[in-house]
Structures are given as C-alpha cells and as structure tokens.
C-alpha cells in the first residue's frame, strides 16, 4: 500500500501534518502473534450463523405494516376497518397472520432442539408464567377483581 496515514499535529492547526507511521515501518495487528492455544474468536462467534427464513420475515413485515395501516387509516377507509358484526375486512386477518407466524417460528425453533421434551416443558412453563404475570397485573388494575 502506498497510502500514508496522517494526523493533525498541534492544537488543531490543519496546516501542519505529520505521518503517524513512517513509510518504512510495518503495521502489525497484534502485539504478539496469536497462539494456537488461544482462540481468536469467542465460542458464540465460532458457531455457524443461523439461517433465517426470508419469506417468514417478509410476511412478518407485511403483517406489521397491515396492522399499522388498519390502526391508523381504519377509520377513514371502511374497507380496511373492522367489520361491525357480519363480514370480513382486511383488519380481520391481522391477528390470524400473527398467530400463523408464531406457529411457524415455534415449529422451526423446536425442529433444531436436540431434547424436544425438555424444550417443550420449558416453553410451556414460560408461557404459563407470562400468562399468570399478565393476569396478575390485570387483576391489580381492576377494582372489581380485588
């Protein structure tokens, strides 16, 4: 490389510049060469990168956009607002789309788990804890539940 690295010398005066490294010096990324006993990367970075399902990400993005559109413009355009009682509109497909995304994501996640029984127990226990936590907060806010 023939590029020269320079720095501003002095009190911020741009007229005086000096090279940080002379052209004859070599730049070494390590103070000492890495040893084979010490890994260069941590264990998490050494694992292969998880592949994402692009179509699921696109569908998730489309569903979020649809949710925002229904929420913000639903009152102005009756075609995308919730149907009063009978009928189906765009707004009625947002929640089922999210449930579909959750189901596919859970199936793909459990597919990679080595111990499916332990993973299922852990997921069910977490869901129950979250459900009771949300129910408990709702009960505290409702005066008729106390």
């Amino acid at each position: 490389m023939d590029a020269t690295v320079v720095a501003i010398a002095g009190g911020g005066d741009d007229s005086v510049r000096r090279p940080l490294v002379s052209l004859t010096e070599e730049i070494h990324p390590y103070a000492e060469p890495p040893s084979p006993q010490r890994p260069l990367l941590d264990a998490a970075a050494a694992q292969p990168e998880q592949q994402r399902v692009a179509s699921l990400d696109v569908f998730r993005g489309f569903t979020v956009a649809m949710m925002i559109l229904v929420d913000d413009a639903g009152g102005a355009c009756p075609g995308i607002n919730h149907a009063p009682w009978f009928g189906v509109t765009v707004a009625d497909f947002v929640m089922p789309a999210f449930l579909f995304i959750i189901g596919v994501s859970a199936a793909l996640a459990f597919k990679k788990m080595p111990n499916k029984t332990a993973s299922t127990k852990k997921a069910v226990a977490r869901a129950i804890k979250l459900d009771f936590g949300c129910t408990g907060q709702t009960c505290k806010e409702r005066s008729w539940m106390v």
Side-chain angles (χ1 to χ4, degrees):
M1 278 173 78
D2 292 337
T4 303
V5 180
V6 295
I8 299 173
D13 184 14
D14 288 340
S15 63
V16 180
R17 293 179 180 244
R18 63 178 175 80
L20 288 175
V21 178
S22 68
L23 295 176
T24 58
E25 283 185 71
E26 291 185 23
I27 299 175
H28 298 285
Y30 301 104
E32 60 188 47
S35 65
Q37 293 83 16
R38 184 176 43 146
L40 293 176
L41 302 173
D42 59 327
Q47 294 176 354
E49 186 177 326
Q50 298 292 328
Q51 294 292 326
R52 294 184 60 93
V53 180
S55 59
L56 189 63
D57 288 338
V58 169
F59 187 58
R60 184 181 296 122
F62 174 73
T63 306
V64 169
M66 189 169 54
M67 179 184 64
I68 292 170
L69 178 71
V70 166
D71 190 38
D72 291 341
C77 181
I80 61 173
N81 202 6
H82 286 282
W85 183 252
F86 293 110
V88 175
T89 60
V90 175
D92 299 321
F93 290 104
V94 174
M95 183 63 181
F98 275 120
L99 291 177
F100 176 78
I101 291 168
I102 291 169
V104 171
S105 298
L108 291 174
F110 282 127
K111 183 179 176 182
K112 297 176 184 176
M113 298 290 174
N115 189 352
K116 293 184 183 3
T117 306
S119 301
T120 304
K121 287 179 182 178
K122 186 176 178 181
V124 168
R126 179 167 165 75
I128 290 171
K129 286 179 189 176
L130 289 174
D131 186 41
F132 282 134
C134 291
T135 305
Q137 289 177 358
T138 304
C139 291
K140 288 179 186 177
E141 294 172 5
R142 309 276 187 203
S143 61
W144 57 271
M145 296 288 277
V146 177

